């Protein structure tokens, strides 16, 4: 795996002041968004946030993505740590297919059924670049901000100690109730 790295740059935001570093893996580019004191923290708070253009940028109410991202950035700005912005849109099926999955969800499919009907697994994400970022930033132990048991298992499989799991619980709305219940009941999310 050949990954290109950027330099580290400052990123002042409405959540706080961060430093960022980009990683390019093939045609996907990912971000490490670090608190100013990241290197001094023994077990930093870490969020692996999967890209969601419709939620993160457009404010879609069909998911909880933007709220989880904002919660994580606010928390990291206050408590120190890292957000990995993992750019694998729609669980790595891409934006076009994600919109097609949305259309199937409009017809009553849940998020898993829609992906499968389109010929994908329920989750197509590849976390190899996350491993690379962890190694690049010399992470040995962390406090993981997640509801996703697959992310917990993946991080543990890398030999990284998870000191604590911090839930990222977001209040449901009428547009994302099915999505959240599917994540809980079918994917085992800890919500």
């Amino acid at each position: 795996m050949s990954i290109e790295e950027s330099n580290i740059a400052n990123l002042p935001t409405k959540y706080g002041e961060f430093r960022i570093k980009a990683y390019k893996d093939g045609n996907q580019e990912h971000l490490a968004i670090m608190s100013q004191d990241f290197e001094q923290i023994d077990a930093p708070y870490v969020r692996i946030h999967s890209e969601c253009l419709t939620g993160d940028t457009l404010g879609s109410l069909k998911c909880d993505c933007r709220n989880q991202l904002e919660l994580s950035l606010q928390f990291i700005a206050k408590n120190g740590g890292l957000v990995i912005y993992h750019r694998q849109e729609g669980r790595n099926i891409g934006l076009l297919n994600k919109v097609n999955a949305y259309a199937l969800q409009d017809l009553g499919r849940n998020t898993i059924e829609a992906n499968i009907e389109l010929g994908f697994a329920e989750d197509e994400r590849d976390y190899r670049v996350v491993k690379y970022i962890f190694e690049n930033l010399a992470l040995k132990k962390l406090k993981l901000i997640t509801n996703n048991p697959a992310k917990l298992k993946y991080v543990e499989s890398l030999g990284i100690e998870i000191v604590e799991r911090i839930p990222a619980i977001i209040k449901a709305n009428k547009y994302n109730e099915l999505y959240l219940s599917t994540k809980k009941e079918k994917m085992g999310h800890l919500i």
Side-chain angles (χ1 to χ4, degrees), residues 1 25 27 89 106 139 158 170 185 191:
M1 173 163 66
D25 179 19
N27 61 0
E89 181 68 47
D106 290 343
L139 279 171
L158 300 175
I170 303 302
E185 296 165 16
I191 52 178

Side-chain angles (χ1 to χ4, degrees), residues 17 26 34 52 74 76 92 97 100 105 118:
E17 293 191 23
M34 301 165 274
C52 176
Q74 290 166 356
I76 297 293
N92 208 21
N97 287 310
N100 287 335
Q105 290 169 32
L118 291 171

